[in-house]
Amino acid sequence: MHRMKRKKIADLLSSPEVGSTVLIKGWVRAFRSNRFIQVNDGSTINNIQAVVDFENFDEQLLKRVTTASAVAITGELVESQGAGQAVEIQVSEIEILGDANPDEVQKTVMQPKRHSMEFLREQAHLRFRTNTFGAVFRIRHAVAYAIHKFFNDEGFYYLHTPIVTGSDAEGAGEMFRVTNLDPVNPPMNEDGEVDYKQDFFGKAVNLTVSGQLEAELGALALGQVYTFGPTFRAENSNTSRHLAEFWMIEPEVAFNDLKDNMDLTENFLKYISSYVLENCADDLQFLSDKEEKEQQQKPANERNEMNLVERLKFVVENEFKRLTYTEAIDVLRNSKAYKKKKFQYDVEWGVDLQSEHERYLVEKEFKCPVILSDYPAKIKAFYMRQNDDGKTVAAMDVLFPGIGEIVGGSQREERLDVLKSKMADFNIPEEELWWYLDTRKFGTVPHAGFGLGFERMIMFVTGMTNIRDVIPFPRTPQNAEF
Ligand code: 4AD
Ligand code: MG
C-alpha cells in the first residue's frame, strides 16, 4: 500500500485543499463529546479539529484518545460545520502513537486549564505543550533567524568565539571555573594555592562572560563580525531579568564610532521587532490577547498603556531618545519622583543607575526606548574609549520599557598607551591580555560594538515578564534541573 506523507497542521490551515485525504500526526489537546478531537503538532498555535463518528470506531480505541496522547489521524479535509474553524478533518482512521495516562496528566501543565507561571516553570520539560510556551519558543526561533538574516544582509560574518576562556572581559569576576582537577585532593603549589598549571589547560579557565574581546580581533581583520552564543555569569541576582546562562549577540565593527554604534543598535532592534510583527502574527496575537486579559485584573493605574502588538509597532515607528548619562542624572534629580523620595537608591553623578532609575526614564519621562551614553569611566569596563573630558567613556546602554537595560555597548579604546594605563587602573595584568593588546599595535583603528541580551529581547517581543519563561531550560542560582 502506498504510504501517505504527514501534513503539518500549519500548512493544512494556511492553504487548505478541501476534499483531499490527509494524514496528520500530533498531540491531543482535548476530546469533546466523544466527537471533536483538537490536535496540535507544534507547527502553529492553531489546532486542527478532527471529527469522529463514534459508531464507526472501536470503543477501546476512542478511550485512548485523551489529552496529551499522541495520534495519527487520516481523513477527508472538509469545510467545517461549526464556528471557530474554516476546515476540519472527517476522520476515517485513528492510530494511537503514544498513550497518556489521564491521572498523570491531571498533575501536570498538560491538563487543559490555566496555570501559574511558577507551576509551569517546575515542569520545564512539559510546558512546551502549552499554548503560551509554544508561542514563546516559536517566536524565540524566529528572532534567532531574524538576527542572522539581519547581519548576513548587512555583510557581517558570524564568528564563533570560545566558551572556555582564561579572560574576564567584563572584569566583574563573576565567572564559573572549568576544571578537571580532583576536587577532593587538588594539586597545590608552594604558596598553598590550587596549582592550575597541572589542570587540563595548564592554567585557570572559566566559562565565558562575553565574546567581545575575541570578536574585536575578528573585526580588526574581517571588518564586521558578530557573535551569537551562550554566556555565563555567576552573579547571585535572583531577579526576573537575570540568568546564570543566557545568550548574547555581540556585533563588532571596525571604523565605527559611538554614533555609528547607536545607529546600528537602533536599526537592529527595529528590524527584530518588525520581523516578529510580520512573521509571527498568530503567536504574537495570542500572547497580546492573553496579556490584555491579565491586565483587566489589575487596577487601572497599573495597566500597560499599550498592548504587546502596539508596543512592538511603537519601537518600529519611533526614534529612540538619545541623551548622555550626565543629562539623565539631571533629569532624574529634577523629577517629582526624586523630590518626593520615591527612589530607593540615591541619584548623584558617578553612581551606577539602578533599574528603578532606568525604568523611570523610559516609562515615565520619555515614554520610548532610550539610549544613554558617555557614562563615568569608573562604573564601566576597562575597554571603553576614554572621552576628552578625562572622566567619561564612550559607552552606551539601550533601555527598553518593561525591561530596563537590553543592550550594553561602547566605542573601544584603540590607543595602546591609554588602554595600558586603563588596565593598570583596573588591576588587569597585561600578560593575560597580550593577544588583545597586540591588536592595538598592528594597524589599530577606531571600532565599536555592543551586546544584546537575547532573552531580554525575547521578553520584550513576547510580553513575558520573567526571563525564566523565555529560555527553554533556565539556569539560575540553586536551579539547574533538566
Ligand atoms: O552590558 P553587558 O555586560 O555587556 C557586555 O557583556 C559587553 N561585552 C557587550 C559588548 O559591548 N559587546 O551585557 C550585554 C547585555 C545586557 O545589556 C543584557 O541585555 C544582557 O547582556 N545581560 C543579561 N541577560 C540575562 N541575564 C544576565 N545575567 C545578563 N547580564 C547581561
Ligand atoms: Mg551592561
Side-chain angles (χ1 to χ4, degrees), residues 30-234:
F31 185 19
R32 284 184 292 111
S33 319
N34 227 5
R35 189 162 165 77
F36 304 106
I37 311 174
Q38 302 293 334
V39 184
N40 190 283
D41 68 1
S43 61
T44 156
I45 192 158
N46 300 307
N47 302 331
I48 187 120
Q49 174 159 286
V51 186
V52 286
D53 271 327
F54 68 88
E55 296 95 350
N56 301 343
F57 290 88
D58 173 45
E59 205 184 316
Q60 291 311 311
L61 177 76
L62 288 187
K63 270 204 179 133
R64 292 169 64 197
V65 180
T66 55
T67 299
S69 61
V71 292
I73 287 180
T74 313
E76 189 187 341
L77 195 66
V78 297
E79 267 168 39
S80 176
Q81 307 297 306
Q85 61 278 319
V87 291
E88 59 195 20
I89 297 172
Q90 195 63 54
V91 182
S92 53
E93 207 182 308
I94 302 176
E95 186 191 343
I96 307 289
L97 300 174
D99 287 290
N101 180 334
D103 295 335
E104 293 284 328
V105 170
Q106 271 305 312
K107 296 177 204 146
T108 74
V109 301
M110 292 184 291
Q111 58 175 307
K113 67 166 224 193
R114 278 190 180 277
H115 303 287
S116 72
M117 286 298 141
E118 289 72 20
F119 181 66
L120 290 159
R121 225 169 277 144
E122 286 166 12
Q123 298 179 29
H125 59 310
L126 298 177
R127 66 181 180 169
F128 295 106
R129 293 279 192 92
T130 65
N131 278 332
T132 298
F133 287 90
V136 166
F137 293 118
R138 276 186 295 272
I139 291 178
R140 186 180 162 110
H141 161 80
V143 173
Y145 175 76
I147 287 169
H148 286 299
K149 179 161 165 53
F150 174 88
F151 286 121
N152 184 65
D153 292 353
E154 296 280 331
F156 283 68
Y157 302 109
Y158 181 21
L159 194 74
H160 298 93
T161 50
I163 289 170
V164 173
T165 171
S167 79
D168 177 5
E170 297 306 304
E174 294 163 331
M175 294 177 299
F176 292 102
R177 175 65 40 88
V178 178
T179 174
N180 71 346
L181 290 179
D182 177 355
V184 182
N185 262 318
M188 307 298 272
N189 64 21
E190 284 160 10
D191 302 330
E193 294 157 343
V194 174
D195 185 10
Y196 286 105
K197 286 207 180 77
Q198 298 186 45
D199 204 348
F200 188 90
F201 295 105
K203 62 192 271 193
V205 293
N206 307 295
L207 294 177
T208 185
V209 295
S210 159
Q212 177 198 321
L213 302 190
E214 290 89 352
E216 284 186 51
L217 274 55
L220 293 172
L222 296 162
Q224 33 188 31
V225 301
Y226 71 104
T227 73
F228 189 164
T231 41
F232 307 85
R233 296 198 183 173

Side-chain angles (χ1 to χ4, degrees), residues 170 233 358 380 383-384 396-397 405 407-409 451 456:
E170 297 306 304
R233 296 198 183 173
E358 296 177 342
K380 289 291 183 187
Y383 51 71
M384 298 191 182
M396 55 159 224
D397 274 6
E405 180 192 334
V407 163
R456 294 207 184 156

Side-chain angles (χ1 to χ4, degrees), residues 56 60 163 179 213 228 248 272 290 292 313 322 327 333 380 384 387 392 394 399 408 468:
N56 301 343
Q60 291 311 311
I163 289 170
T179 174
L213 302 190
F228 189 164
M248 189 157 49
I272 295 172
K290 173 180 131 86
E292 256 189 290
K313 285 190 178 148
R322 300 182 184 190
E327 290 164 340
R333 287 181 69 99
K380 289 291 183 187
M384 298 191 182
N387 286 332
T392 60
L399 314 178
R468 295 166 174 83

Side-chain angles (χ1 to χ4, degrees), residues 283-338:
D283 289 321
L284 189 61
Q285 197 58 54
F286 171 83
L287 293 169
S288 194
D289 292 346
K290 173 180 131 86
E291 186 194 87
E292 256 189 290
K293 265 182 234 142
E294 286 163 4
Q295 291 282 313
Q296 301 301 322
Q297 316 290 319
K298 292 188 173 178
N301 63 342
E302 284 175 27
R303 289 183 201 151
N304 292 336
E305 281 171 35
M306 290 183 251
N307 70 29
L308 176 60
V309 173
E310 288 165 344
R311 294 202 296 279
L312 294 194
K313 285 190 178 148
F314 186 90
V315 163
V316 176
E317 287 161 10
N318 291 279
E319 270 182 28
F320 295 5
K321 172 77 186 171
R322 300 182 184 190
L323 73 164
T324 64
Y325 167 90
T326 304
E327 290 164 340
I329 293 290
D330 282 345
V331 170
L332 288 167
R333 287 181 69 99
N334 287 319
S335 68
K336 274 206 194 108
Y338 180 79

